[in-house]
Amino acid sequence: MGAVNVTATDAVFDYYAYRGKDKIFEQKINSRKAYRNPVLAGFYPDPSICRKGDTYYLVNSTFSYYPGIPLFTSKDMVSWVQTGNVLDRPSQLMLDKQAIRDGIYAPAISYNERNDTFYLVTTLINGFGNFVVKTKDPAKGWSDPILLPEIGGIDPSLFFDDDGKAYIVNCSAPDGKAEYDGHSAIWIHEYDLTTDRILGKGKVLVNKGSNPSKKPVWIEGPHLYKRDGQYLLMCAEGGTETNHSEVIFHADKVMGPYIPSSKNPILTQRDLPEDRENKITCTGHADIITDHRGQTWAVFLGCRPYNTDKFNTGRETFMLPVKWEDAVPVILPQSEAVPVVVQKKGGGKQNFTGNLLWRDEFDAPVIGLEWLMIRTPQSSWYSIGQGKLSIRPVEQNISEKPNPAFLGRRQQHAAFEVETSLVFTPDNERQLAGIACFQNEKYHIVFGLTLQNNKPILKVISTNDGVSTVNGTVELPVANNGHSIKLRIEGNGATYSFYASYQKDKWIPVAENVNAEILSTQIAGGFTGTVIGLYATGNQ
Ligand code: 6LW
């Protein structure tokens, strides 16, 4: 999306600053000897990992945000750097009618040494379903989607066998009628690497789950590995909320039969006391990798509630060393809590966790890789450069499709601060510009400058299940028109407070202790975390 000619009605932002302030990150660590969990804080769910040589690649799902599927690289699986987005052009990702909770579900990244090619398989929900993209060099971008209509369901993952054959495992409806809600199955299809086509019919490898007599639900997120001649099928089970877990099956032949391990679940937090410190919940949907030193690691999703169960930060990426017990990869012994600090030699600076300070002065000619838009941009509504970001107040507002004028960044902490400086002269009472805290179309909080009775006014508006209420307003002196005004949000778990400053460092409250539980997954539903960003609309 190219530069747009800045007009008088554009909202012009000078910077965006974000600071994390979570208690669990106050503990000092020596990053050369240990790392923090989560390794990617904020909504980075369904992690998948692969390696080529001593370089590691990690991806996450992004639903209906654009660009899609962030790509991280590192040499130590700790100091991740975002080096791209796998789906970063409309020909790869056309999100226009999808709700924010739909779009791109769990991705799986893999590297095939035999043809020196990287593959990524994923699902576009309410679109063309399962597809593959591939590349010889992730830094140079990925192919357009290769559709896989033969494969239904979600969570596809590629496996390259040592006889040169390849297979895709995924989860889908059982073969025949589902016997109960959540009854699903793991399927396998052979994949032709020369034609990128599916060969033959699919086969069920696991029906129901690790212990069918217990009617397990939502067996999903499968990955297939081979170790010492054994095929290992690892899956998530229990659903992605507090009942989440990871289970493992083994077989002598790729087509099974797959036997569940007696050590299952190899990861869960569901049996631990509710009142434990630094509570991590919902752990599961893992992928494992053996590093170039022979140590095996697991990445998986988990959540950090700020009270009993609510979190606004979505499902995050965690990492733990794996212990092999009798050829079974145990991620965490049962009834052990996920540690927030893990010993690991040779780690580096962690860029996506800890109480980080992140600031964008908009000096770069293009917008940074971390910025997210809601669905695929349909027109040019922003421009960046010379230290300014200009956003056009387009007709869409943040609850409307296809593409509101919003550029956001993941909320990565329960306690945080966001600040910006804005120059905006609204033409009419429907125009507003400022900061939006967005969970989804029906659950968000907007803080901005607009007009009321033809006077400039600051407003905080919460939308809870689609119903909007004004939490606070402050009239601005008319003389301020055309001058910059600073906006700041202080988040503290279940409440956010909103401040403004148009006189040097004098901050005035616009609305304090506003209910922010409406931005939690528990209240708003869905699979994403809160995204906080710069926003302008002509239709508030
Ligand atoms: C993901 C699947 C899941 O594809 O949710 O609840 C989907 N489990 O494994 C989106 O994260």
Side-chain angles (χ1 to χ4, degrees), residues 159-355:
F159 165 69
F160 308 112
D161 205 345
D162 41 29
D163 60 2
K165 287 188 176 176
Y167 303 88
I168 291 184
V169 288
N170 80 303
C171 70
S172 187
D175 195 4
K177 202 166 155 324
E179 293 169 25
Y180 53 86
D181 188 24
H183 175 185
S184 82
I186 302 298
W187 290 73
I188 188 166
H189 291 77
E190 187 169 351
Y191 183 82
D192 184 331
L193 287 166
T194 43
T195 61
D196 293 313
R197 305 283 354 110
I198 297 297
L199 297 172
K201 288 217 156 311
K203 177 178 185 290
V204 169
L205 295 182
V206 174
N207 181 30
K208 295 179 181 167
S210 58
N211 184 347
S213 64
K214 290 239 176 78
K215 295 191 174 176
V217 296
W218 308 121
I219 185 99
E220 55 195 5
H223 294 289
L224 194 49
Y225 312 93
K226 192 171 186 179
R227 187 180 166 104
D228 305 336
Q230 276 283 293
Y231 293 92
L232 292 168
L233 178 64
M234 187 171 77
C235 307
E237 190 178 79
T240 196
E241 287 148 19
T242 48
N243 191 37
H244 213 188
S245 69
E246 199 70 13
V247 293
I248 193 101
F249 305 77
H250 57 93
D252 301 332
K253 294 198 289 301
V254 70
M255 287 298 180
Y258 281 85
I259 317 300
S261 164
S262 58
K263 295 182 190 302
N264 283 331
I266 55 173
L267 169 70
T268 191
Q269 297 287 273
R270 63 186 173 207
D271 316 319
L272 297 178
E274 276 302 311
D275 59 356
R276 65 192 181 278
E277 216 195 329
N278 295 336
K279 186 161 72 173
I280 309 289
T281 63
C282 312
T283 54
H285 203 116
D287 193 4
I288 59 174
I289 183 110
T290 297
D291 68 21
H292 55 292
R293 294 193 185 83
Q295 164 67 47
T296 303
W297 299 86
V299 290
F300 54 93
L301 71 82
C303 305
R304 290 178 294 136
Y306 49 72
N307 57 18
T308 49
D309 64 344
K310 294 188 181 58
F311 47 85
N312 296 10
T313 39
R315 297 168 299 156
E316 312 177 285
T317 293
F318 289 75
M319 185 173 88
L320 281 176
V322 165
K323 284 200 190 58
W324 287 92
E325 294 173 4
D326 315 327
V328 173
V330 175
I331 301 175
L332 201 62
Q334 283 165 40
S335 66
E336 234 181 76
V338 172
V340 293
V341 174
V342 181
Q343 302 311 309
K344 182 180 190 293
K345 286 207 190 54
K349 179 175 174 305
Q350 291 187 277
N351 308 304
F352 288 85
T353 191
N355 283 336

Side-chain angles (χ1 to χ4, degrees), residues 404-421:
F406 171 82
L407 271 170
R409 195 182 172 282
R410 295 162 173 84
Q411 176 185 330
Q412 295 184 280
H413 304 75
F416 65 89
E417 255 176 42
V418 164
E419 186 184 307
T420 189
S421 169

Side-chain angles (χ1 to χ4, degrees), residues 1 14 36-37 69 83 138 153 164 179 203 210 236 258 274 307 397 412 416 450 464 466 536:
M1 173 138 92
D14 199 2
R36 294 186 191 284
N37 258 329
I69 307 185
T83 47
E179 293 169 25
K203 177 178 185 290
S210 58
Y258 281 85
E274 276 302 311
N307 57 18
N397 67 43
Q412 295 184 280
F416 65 89
T450 183
N464 180 355

Side-chain angles (χ1 to χ4, degrees), residues 278-496:
N278 295 336
K279 186 161 72 173
I280 309 289
T281 63
C282 312
T283 54
H285 203 116
D287 193 4
I288 59 174
I289 183 110
T290 297
D291 68 21
H292 55 292
R293 294 193 185 83
Q295 164 67 47
T296 303
W297 299 86
V299 290
F300 54 93
L301 71 82
C303 305
R304 290 178 294 136
Y306 49 72
N307 57 18
T308 49
D309 64 344
K310 294 188 181 58
F311 47 85
N312 296 10
T313 39
R315 297 168 299 156
E316 312 177 285
T317 293
F318 289 75
M319 185 173 88
L320 281 176
V322 165
K323 284 200 190 58
W324 287 92
E325 294 173 4
D326 315 327
V328 173
V330 175
I331 301 175
L332 201 62
Q334 283 165 40
S335 66
E336 234 181 76
V338 172
V340 293
V341 174
V342 181
Q343 302 311 309
K344 182 180 190 293
K345 286 207 190 54
K349 179 175 174 305
Q350 291 187 277
N351 308 304
F352 288 85
T353 191
N355 283 336
L356 52 89
L357 169 59
W358 191 87
R359 191 180 175 92
D360 195 330
E361 298 281 358
F362 306 124
D363 296 330
V366 289
I367 201 79
L369 293 169
E370 291 179 57
W371 288 99
L372 294 171
M373 288 179 257
I374 297 172
R375 293 182 283 279
T376 310
Q378 313 284 321
S379 66
S380 297
W381 44 260
Y382 79 87
S383 75
I384 183 172
Q386 290 89 40
K388 305 275 184 227
L389 171 73
S390 302
I391 299 184
R392 167 106 4 108
V394 297
E395 271 318 302
Q396 253 116 53
N397 67 43
I398 205 153
S399 53
E400 292 171 326
K401 294 173 184 158
N403 175 237
F406 171 82
L407 271 170
R409 195 182 172 282
R410 295 162 173 84
Q411 176 185 330
Q412 295 184 280
H413 304 75
F416 65 89
E417 255 176 42
V418 164
E419 186 184 307
T420 189
S421 169
L422 154 77
V423 174
F424 179 55
T425 312
D427 279 351
N428 56 59
E429 305 210 350
R430 294 179 47 237
Q431 289 198 333
L432 175 145
I435 307 177
C437 306
F438 182 79
Q439 171 59 252
N440 64 43
E441 297 82 351
K442 289 190 167 182
Y443 294 88
H444 43 260
I445 304 177
V446 169
F447 172 31
L449 170 54
T450 183
L451 281 183
Q452 188 163 298
N453 310 330
N454 274 334
K455 291 204 186 72
I457 191 169
L458 289 170
K459 261 187 187 175
V460 174
I461 309 154
S462 288
T463 300
N464 180 355
D465 196 11
V467 179
S468 297
T469 47
V470 175
N471 305 100
T473 60
V474 166
E475 256 190 44
L476 290 172
V478 174
N480 186 71
N481 264 357
H483 295 284
S484 71
I485 181 159
K486 288 185 178 174
L487 305 180
R488 192 167 79 208
I489 303 176
E490 289 181 9
N492 194 5
T495 61
Y496 295 2

Side-chain angles (χ1 to χ4, degrees), residues 138-154:
K140 295 211 177 83
W142 297 70
S143 71
D144 271 351
I146 301 160
L147 306 191
L148 302 170
E150 303 87 346
I151 298 185
I154 57 172

